[in-house]
Amino acid sequence: MSKYWSDFVSQLEPYVPGEQPKISNITKLNANENPYGPSPDALAVMQQLSNDDLRLYPPMNADELKQTIADNFGLVKEQIFVGNGSDEVLAHAFNGLLKQSKPLLFPDITYSFYPVFCQLYGIEYQQMPLAEDLSINLEDYKRDNGGIIFPNPNAPSGRLLGLDVIEQLLQANRDSVVVVDEAYIDFGGESAVALINSYANLLVVHTMSKSRSLAGMRIGYAMGSVELIEGLERIKNSFNPFPLGQLQIAAAIASFKDDDYFKSTCARVISSREKLAEQLQALGFDVLPSAANFVFARYSPSDNKSQRSAQDIADKLREHGVIVRHFKQDRIDQFLRITVGTEEQNQFLLETLKNLLG
Ligand SMILES: *Cc1c(COP(=O)(O)O)cnc(C)c1O
């Protein structure tokens, strides 16, 4: 607290990301970062462009990147919005599309940035409880609302919704914007991008932080009708007209052009995820089905006496150099969210767990 702060700043409760410890030699499975690096082409182009031209402002509308993304998804570039990480894209969507006179709807257990954006922009919201199995029931969202947002797959559960139920929601909900946050869609889901040309109120948000391994470059984008994208552009051009620099734009384009690398690294993460889930189950964990690059798991040994709290397991793992994410939130405080690492990292996690719990 400071006397120099405005009343508004004093009452904010900012989002807290997974920690980024300085210690090297750590098995970092807490922030859903990709264990494989960015496309070598993206790295090369960033080096190439690290030159005197950086004195210039970047291209105003990142048109070349928008065109690349549009081509990749079968859209036109006026249907693409780009921003400094999908968090910024989401912020503009909250401010420009989801701030309405009626409350915004989102799940009670979901990406914890959503209520923070609501507080920042003064948006009323209502959280819809997940089902017992921690799945989203979109039937609950078929009611009067000022907008709807949910991640698919959801975070931190990893559970995926099919396009059929998303389309049913869109059919029932024509008068407000529906945002599908597809941060993890490349790890096994079907993208709602296919529905964009049929529903003018659908906005699909992607990030290059997870499946494209560019978290450090901060690149996100949204896809939707020209109408929705224009709304986002109005916010962006009233806030920061240059959210992406030359290096970000070039890295993003190179990443899209290197489709083989993208597909093969996603496939590796998916196959490691399935193996990790099985091995965690063998150690006595319940593991929710995941379509993301993480698993959500709860220790539930058959013999009750060896039960340990998730907080305790997370603390002990940390002492042994493995960081996973634990949320102190009702209904999920006995779960750990574990990012899928390299095969080596996953095996180290499993061995450490075996020693701790054994
Ligand atoms: C990681 C994540 C984001 C943010 O991604 P950035 O592009 O790195 O800002 C958005 N939504 C969800 C659900 C995420 O997990």
Side-chain angles (χ1 to χ4, degrees):
M1 285 291 183
S2 158
K3 66 173 178 175
Y4 300 116
W5 290 359
S6 67
D7 291 345
F8 176 71
V9 162
S10 302
Q11 50 90 45
L12 287 179
E13 288 169 60
Y15 173 72
V16 185
E19 60 174 328
Q20 297 290 351
K22 288 274 181 303
I23 333 156
S24 57
N25 223 338
I26 211 151
T27 303
K28 190 173 181 304
L29 305 176
N30 69 327
N32 300 340
E33 289 144 329
N34 199 313
Y36 307 111
S39 156
D41 296 351
L43 297 178
V45 79
M46 285 191 275
Q47 292 214 311
Q48 223 173 53
L49 294 181
S50 292
N51 62 38
D52 188 55
D53 286 344
L54 287 173
R55 68 193 175 78
L56 301 172
Y57 280 100
M60 180 86 178
N61 287 310
D63 277 329
E64 196 188 341
L65 173 56
K66 287 181 179 175
Q67 189 61 58
T68 303
I69 298 172
D71 291 346
N72 190 70
F73 292 99
L75 300 168
V76 298
K77 77 173 175 3
E78 291 73 22
Q79 291 179 293
I80 312 296
F81 179 78
V82 297
N84 195 263
S86 67
D87 286 337
E88 186 186 80
V89 174
L90 288 167
H92 292 339
F94 273 75
N95 198 9
L97 305 174
L98 301 176
K99 181 177 179 165
Q100 305 290 347
S101 53
K102 294 173 194 167
L104 171 67
L105 307 181
F106 55 83
D108 62 340
I109 296 170
T110 193
Y111 188 34
S112 52
F113 218 138
Y114 299 163
V116 176
F117 288 134
C118 286
Q119 191 191 42
L120 178 64
Y121 293 119
I123 301 168
E124 252 190 83
Y125 63 94
Q126 198 176 342
Q127 292 186 286
M128 314 306 288
L130 294 187
E132 200 59 45
D133 65 357
L134 301 186
S135 62
I136 295 175
N137 181 4
L138 287 184
E139 285 302 314
D140 298 342
Y141 295 71
K142 294 177 183 171
R143 58 161 77 196
D144 211 26
N145 66 76
I148 296 173
I149 183 168
F150 56 90
N152 192 41
N154 194 13
S157 71
R159 280 190 178 276
L160 181 74
L161 292 171
L163 275 199
D164 49 344
V165 289
I166 293 176
E167 181 154 27
Q168 283 162 23
L169 174 70
L170 288 161
Q171 275 166 1
N173 192 88
R174 304 263 181 184
D175 297 330
S176 70
V177 172
V178 176
V179 177
V180 185
D181 179 354
E182 294 189 335
Y184 303 102
I185 198 71
D186 298 323
F187 299 109
E190 208 183 337
S191 175
V193 164
L195 304 173
I196 282 176
N197 287 331
S198 312
Y199 299 92
N201 60 332
L202 168 64
L203 190 77
V204 177
V205 178
H206 281 195
T207 174
M208 301 194 72
S209 298
K210 316 279 167 58
S211 59
R212 292 182 182 273
S213 201
L214 285 164
M217 290 308 291
R218 314 303 304 126
I219 310 160
Y221 54 97
M223 299 172 281
S225 60
V226 174
E227 200 180 335
L228 295 188
I229 299 304
E230 261 181 38
L232 295 174
E233 293 287 343
R234 288 170 68 96
I235 295 269
K236 172 217 138 201
N237 290 324
S238 309
F239 177 78
N240 176 11
F242 301 107
L244 295 185
Q246 286 94 320
L247 301 188
Q248 291 161 294
I249 292 172
I253 293 170
S255 169
F256 274 104
K257 299 226 153 121
D258 193 0
D259 203 43
D260 289 345
Y261 182 85
F262 167 67
K263 290 209 170 100
S264 72
T265 47
C266 287
R268 281 167 85 179
V269 170
I270 292 167
S271 93
S272 296
R273 176 187 71 212
E274 297 309 306
K275 195 166 149 193
L276 175 62
E278 246 172 60
Q279 290 174 304
L280 284 168
Q281 276 161 355
L283 287 181
F285 283 83
D286 288 337
V287 185
L288 295 189
S290 169
N293 68 339
F294 57 83
V295 294
F296 206 44
R298 174 173 53 184
Y299 188 48
S300 66
S302 44
D303 143 35
N304 247 339
K305 271 181 292 197
S306 43
Q307 183 62 53
R308 306 272 287 274
S309 76
Q311 176 75 70
D312 183 43
I313 298 173
D315 291 347
K316 291 280 167 10
L317 280 175
R318 201 173 199 295
E319 285 167 21
H320 289 84
V322 182
I323 310 189
V324 300
R325 190 106 196 248
H326 173 248
F327 298 91
K328 291 189 187 87
Q329 187 187 346
D330 215 28
R331 290 181 76 190
I332 56 167
D333 66 343
Q334 288 314 315
F335 282 85
L336 297 172
R337 193 197 67 188
I338 305 170
T339 304
V340 178
T342 59
E343 272 305 309
E344 272 176 351
Q345 290 178 312
N346 300 341
Q347 292 318 309
F348 183 67
L349 161 82
L350 289 159
E351 271 164 42
T352 311
L353 276 174
K354 210 176 284 177
N355 292 334
L356 289 179
L357 302 170

